[in-house]
Structures are given as C-alpha cells and as structure tokens.
Amino acid sequence: MKDKTFLVTGANSGMGLETARQLAAAGARVVGTGRNADRVAEAQRALGDGVTMVVSDASDIAQIDALAARFPEGLDGAFVNAGGATFQPFDVSTLEVFDQTFGLNIRGPYYLLRKLSESFRSGSSVVFNTTIANRKGFPNTAIYAASKGALRSLARVLAAEWAPRGIRVNCVAPGPIDTPIFGKVGLPEDMVGEARAGFAGQVPLGRLGTSEEVARVVAFLLSEQASFVNG
C-alpha cells in the first residue's frame, strides 16, 4: 500500500474513517470526503497528516466533478462508501426520500466512477459499501435496500468490464455495524436502542460489528493481497 493513492468517500465517520486511517497507517496517500464541513474538519484532526479530507457531497454532480479533478496523476483504488438511509414502511414511503436515497447511494457512485474511470491505473481496486439488507428483505428498508441492490449490480458489471484493464471491483455487504448511521435513519430516538439490540440479537456472535472490523476487510480488498478477488 505504500505510496499508493486511494479515495475514500464518506470518510468523516464510521467505516469510511476507519478505512482511511488503516490505509494511511499502511503508507498510502488517502483523500477522504464528507459533506458536512464541521465533521470533515473533525475527521481531519482525528486522522492527521496521512489523510487529506475535503468537503464533497457524494450526490452533487458539480462537487463530484471537482473531486475527480484532484487525481490528474491517477488512482490506485477507491472505497465508495458514502451513503445514507431513511427507514420507512413501503406504504408511507415518499418519492422525495426515494430520489434522495437513490441520488446518494447509486446515482452519485455511478457518476463518480464514470469521472474516475480513466484515472484508475492497472492493478487498481474499487470497493463498494453495500448492505446485507439488499438480500435479507428487512421491513421498512424498501428504498434503501433497492438502492444498495442497484449498487451491487453495478459493481458486478464493472468487475467484468474493467477486468481486461486490470481493475478489480468488489463489494462489502456489512450486517449490523455500530456506526453513527443508527442516529440518521429516521427512527425516533427512543427506538434507536431497541433497533441496536434487535439487530445484535440476529447476529450469531450476539453483538454488532465494529467499523474497524469492516475496514480491515476493505483494506484487504484494496490491496494486492486480494489480487484474485473480483466481482
């Protein structure tokens, strides 16, 4: 990983922040993003000089253009991690939430990779952050799960199309991970604790995973150690 260049979107917290930290610790040059300036500044302080944090909204086309322009000398990989969720029963879900979620979780990543396509060097690796929800059919996740399912399909197609260029594309599909997203999914505050406990109860280990645990898998997939892992 030493002296390689990686992009990590949504690096201001959770799995993105921990992945950026681990890549930098391995000697990589890392650019991380977040859309909230205060949180980006906080992450920069936490990560130190090994990571360059920039404000960039993963659903904003103009900001994606500006982000892609940061890599004129090329990229060795990307963790496409930025995303969001609003959990609603299907019968009360709205097109507004649909558009926001798909804009962030699939339209933004699609456009970002179109802009970065020529920047990836041979031997590069791209990792998408999807979710176990795109397979499990959890209630109240119709919009979120569908957007992440689309992301998983995109990854598989790119794995086939980019393989001749020596670029690998993979996904991680985390189960319940203890990240700040629990406070951002639209649940009332008194239900967040119940949701955490309920998810942990469905895991054979009986606990939530950690951002560090997911980041170790992402760092492996981005590395040359995963050179035969694709799709």
Side-chain angles (χ1 to χ4, degrees), residues 53-91:
M53 291 294 299
V54 299
V55 177
S56 182
D57 186 333
S59 65
D60 186 289
I61 297 303
Q63 293 186 43
I64 293 172
D65 284 337
L67 176 63
R70 285 180 165 268
F71 305 103
E73 297 180 2
L75 263 174
D76 296 292
F79 180 32
V80 184
N81 167 68
T86 298
F87 293 165
Q88 297 177 326
F90 179 78
D91 288 344

Side-chain angles (χ1 to χ4, degrees), residues 89-104:
F90 179 78
D91 288 344
V92 299
S93 60
T94 65
L95 284 176
E96 179 183 13
V97 170
F98 182 97
D99 290 342
Q100 290 173 347
T101 304
F102 270 71
L104 178 58

